[in-house]
């Protein structure tokens, strides 16, 4: 977060969450060098604070998988 950047608020998705947001699927990789993983956490928290229900793999009888760089 760089609040000194004039575009910070404009491009921070978590600052634009409201009742009109559709269901949202968050997916992020730690190898993403352009956007910090923390940004997905900010968005998820903003959605939860706006009343959106967080659905986890336990809710949909799925499993969690972690892929590592170089995985085949």
């Amino acid at each position: 977060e760089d609040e000194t950047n004039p575009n910070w608020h404009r491009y921070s998705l978590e600052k634009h969450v409201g009742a009109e947001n559709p269901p949202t699927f968050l997916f992020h990789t730690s190898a993403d060098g352009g956007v910090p993983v923390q940004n997905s956490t900010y968005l998820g928290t903003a959605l939860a604070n706006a009343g959106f229900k967080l659905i986890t793999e336990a809710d949909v009888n799925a499993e969690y998988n972690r892929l590592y760089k170089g995985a085949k």
Side-chain angles (χ1 to χ4, degrees):
E1 276 184 29
D2 182 5
E3 295 185 39
T4 62
N5 183 324
N7 291 315
W8 173 76
H9 188 273
R10 179 185 210 180
Y11 295 117
S12 296
L13 293 178
E14 72 275 8
K15 304 297 182 191
H16 304 281
V17 169
E20 69 282 354
N21 280 79
T24 304
F25 177 80
L26 293 176
F27 178 86
H28 204 115
T29 68
S30 58
D32 184 343
V35 178
V37 173
Q38 185 65 30
N39 286 18
S40 288
T41 302
Y42 294 149
L43 180 55
T45 299
L47 288 164
N49 289 340
F52 288 81
K53 182 182 184 305
L54 175 64
I55 298 172
T56 67
E57 62 272 7
D59 296 316
V60 293
N61 193 26
E63 65 182 59
Y64 170 78
N65 292 292
R66 179 174 287 184
L67 300 177
Y68 296 90
K69 185 176 180 180
K72 297 181 182 192

